[in-house]
């Protein structure tokens, strides 16, 4: 990873990944792209930035070639909840966008990363300690695009020799950029509402367990996986990773440790509940630990403490 082009940079992962890579690899070695260009955004102002619709393969190719990229990190995608509202558009963006990015990687011989998700599993998958290699029959359009994406990335490696790598991200929690349209978004919103309103209405039932991870661990995971020597990898697309598994009741209790006055009520959203119920409760991450030393640092307690401090500084 010396000259890195990233799509979907203004999203939840992209904005923090760009900051980190600009710091570590040099501002001029990172090309940030997104479909929109808010002129006063720090990602737009702070280094190389180009407008790119990932459905435009020709422009993606020209930008990567001109920049002399050696790595493509493809993040642009619709998340699970919004993809259920617009399944046809989600298929188009998630699949054609990925195919375009893989084609650019093949033509220019780029190392390639794209995230998969816990959404790549379905209701028939073992729910607890979900194995790395197991049944994947998701029932959401998001999940279908993620499984197809995993297969496509493996295909580009096996058929064309593209160095494709990926992880199945759990819900990601961060204070910098809000996620948009995911099923796990509640675990971010809850901290905002705790600080702003002192109360939160949760759209999922109190015992709904899902895998989660704090953003610094997610960024570390991307960088670590991309830098591990290829001969260590048995799997490629995509590795189970997770830092914790919790329910709304658990996160409520962890926030109440810091803010005893915080309260939560429940108004279950059937769409979100249905998606969450079809996903694993907890992943087995042994393959990632063995093949590229994956080891997250934050558990629920440490994350809650850090989130509340950082978010307070941001909001007030
Ligand atoms: C979503 O909820 O859609 C994402 C994910 C787990 O992939 N955060």
């Amino acid at each position: 990873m010396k000259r890195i082009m990233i799509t979907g940079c203004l999203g939840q992962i992209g904005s923090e990944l760009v900051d980190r890579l600009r710091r570590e690899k040099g501002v001029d070695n990172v090309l940030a792209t997104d479909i929109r260009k808010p002129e006063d955004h720090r990602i737009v102002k702070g280094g190389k930035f180009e407008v790119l619709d990932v459905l435009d393969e020709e422009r993606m190719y020209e930008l990567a070639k001109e920049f002399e990229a050696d790595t493509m990190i493809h993040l642009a995608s619709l998340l699970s909840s919004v993809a259920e509202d617009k399944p046809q558009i989600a298929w188009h963006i998630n699949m054609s966008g990925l195919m375009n990015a893989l084609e650019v990687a093949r033509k220019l011989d780029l190392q390639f990363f794209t995230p998969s998700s816990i959404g790549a599993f379905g209701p028939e998958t073992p729910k607890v300690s979900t194995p790395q290699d197991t049944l994947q029959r998701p029932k959401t359009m998001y999940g279908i695009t993620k499984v197809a994406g995993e297969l496509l990335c493996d295909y580009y490696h096996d058929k064309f020799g593209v160095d494709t790598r990926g992880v199945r991200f759990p819900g990601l929690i961060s204070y910098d950029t809000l996620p948009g349209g995911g099923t796990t978004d509640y675990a971010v919103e809850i901290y905002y509402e705790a600080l702003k309103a002192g109360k939160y209405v949760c759209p999922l039932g109190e015992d709904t367990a899902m895998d989660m991870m704090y953003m610094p661990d997610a960024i570390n995971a991307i960088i670590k996986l991309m830098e591990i020597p290829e001969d260590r990898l048995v799997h490629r697309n995509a590795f189970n990773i997770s830092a914790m598994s919790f329910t709304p009741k658990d996160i409520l209790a962890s926030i109440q440790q810091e803010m005893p006055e915080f309260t939560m009520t429940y108004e279950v959203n059937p769409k979100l509940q249905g998606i969450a119920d079809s996903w694993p409760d907890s992943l087995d991450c042994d393959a990632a630990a063995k093949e590229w030393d994956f080891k997250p640092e934050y558990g629920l307690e440490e994350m809650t403490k850090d989130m509340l401090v950082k978010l307070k500084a941001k909001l007030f």
Side-chain angles (χ1 to χ4, degrees):
M1 285 215 291
K2 294 192 189 79
R3 302 274 296 170
I4 307 149
M5 175 167 167
I6 311 176
T7 69
C9 280
L10 298 181
Q12 193 198 12
I13 302 175
S15 51
E16 295 197 38
L17 182 63
V18 169
D19 280 341
R20 170 86 178 266
L21 289 175
R22 278 178 179 165
R23 268 199 317 273
E24 281 186 9
K25 309 282 174 188
V27 172
D28 290 340
N29 291 323
V30 179
L31 174 60
T33 72
D34 201 281
I35 196 165
R36 53 202 177 90
K37 188 178 185 184
E39 295 293 345
D40 58 350
H41 195 291
R42 69 163 201 278
I43 298 296
V44 174
K45 289 197 303 191
K48 289 177 191 292
F49 184 94
E50 294 286 346
V51 174
L52 172 66
D53 177 350
V54 294
L55 296 177
D56 185 349
E57 190 199 326
E58 207 177 306
R59 179 161 166 78
M60 199 189 287
Y61 175 84
E62 288 307 329
L63 286 175
K65 192 164 164 99
E66 199 176 303
F67 178 63
E68 296 178 352
D70 62 24
T71 305
M72 169 81 77
I73 298 184
H74 177 59
L75 300 176
S77 137
L78 293 195
L79 292 183
S80 56
S81 172
V82 73
E84 276 315 281
D85 296 337
K86 306 173 189 171
Q88 296 83 357
I89 294 174
W91 173 266
H92 194 41
I93 293 176
N94 291 9
M95 293 316 302
S96 303
L98 175 60
M99 185 72 174
N100 290 344
L102 282 166
E103 271 298 279
V104 172
R106 179 181 70 80
K107 288 174 188 162
L108 296 174
D109 194 20
L110 312 182
Q111 195 192 19
F112 190 87
F113 175 92
T114 199
S116 183
S117 159
I118 51 172
F121 297 112
E124 293 113 352
T125 304
K127 268 190 127 33
V128 176
S129 243
T130 303
Q132 172 65 39
D133 301 307
T134 187
L135 190 63
Q136 290 181 267
R137 305 285 292 173
K139 303 292 181 227
T140 63
M141 180 50 87
Y142 178 66
I144 291 166
T145 65
K146 288 298 171 187
V147 177
E150 291 184 4
L151 295 172
L152 197 59
C153 288
D154 274 347
Y155 181 83
Y156 265 70
H157 171 259
D158 300 346
K159 176 102 177 166
F160 303 119
V162 180
D163 182 2
T164 56
R165 306 178 184 200
V167 296
R168 295 181 182 131
F169 273 132
L172 297 180
I173 292 142
S174 62
Y175 54 86
D176 181 53
T177 306
L178 281 166
T183 303
T184 58
D185 293 8
Y186 93 90
V188 180
E189 288 159 7
I190 191 171
Y191 289 105
Y192 278 78
E193 293 309 309
L195 289 172
K196 287 199 293 196
K199 58 183 186 198
Y200 180 60
V201 183
C202 183
L204 295 174
E206 60 178 10
D207 293 321
T208 311
M210 282 189 286
D211 285 285
M212 301 279 176
M213 184 180 284
Y214 198 30
M215 190 58 87
D217 281 330
I219 303 293
N220 283 342
I222 296 175
I223 294 174
K224 205 162 193 182
L225 173 58
M226 291 302 272
E227 293 187 341
I228 209 79
E230 222 178 339
D231 59 11
R232 293 251 332 249
L233 299 181
V234 178
H235 298 85
R236 282 182 169 274
N237 304 286
F239 286 92
N240 283 1
I241 62 168
S242 173
M244 59 195 105
S245 165
F246 60 73
T247 63
K249 218 162 57 182
D250 299 329
I251 192 171
L252 167 68
S254 102
I255 295 175
Q256 281 174 336
Q257 290 279 331
E258 309 298 315
M259 302 176 61
E261 69 287 3
F262 174 60
T263 58
M264 183 154 90
T265 51
Y266 297 88
E267 256 176 45
V268 170
N269 173 322
K271 178 184 74 176
L272 295 179
Q273 189 66 53
I275 298 174
D277 287 344
S278 76
W279 289 357
D281 289 354
S282 61
L283 299 183
D284 176 336
C285 305
D286 280 1
K290 202 150 122 201
E291 293 175 39
W292 49 279
D293 311 323
F294 166 70
K295 194 169 183 296
E297 284 173 13
Y298 289 85
L300 179 54
E301 223 174 277
E302 303 83 58
M303 178 179 76
T304 293
K305 285 200 173 95
D306 201 58
M307 265 304 271
L308 290 174
V309 170
K310 302 268 170 54
L311 205 51
K312 206 183 262 174
K314 180 184 159 177
L315 293 175
F316 307 110

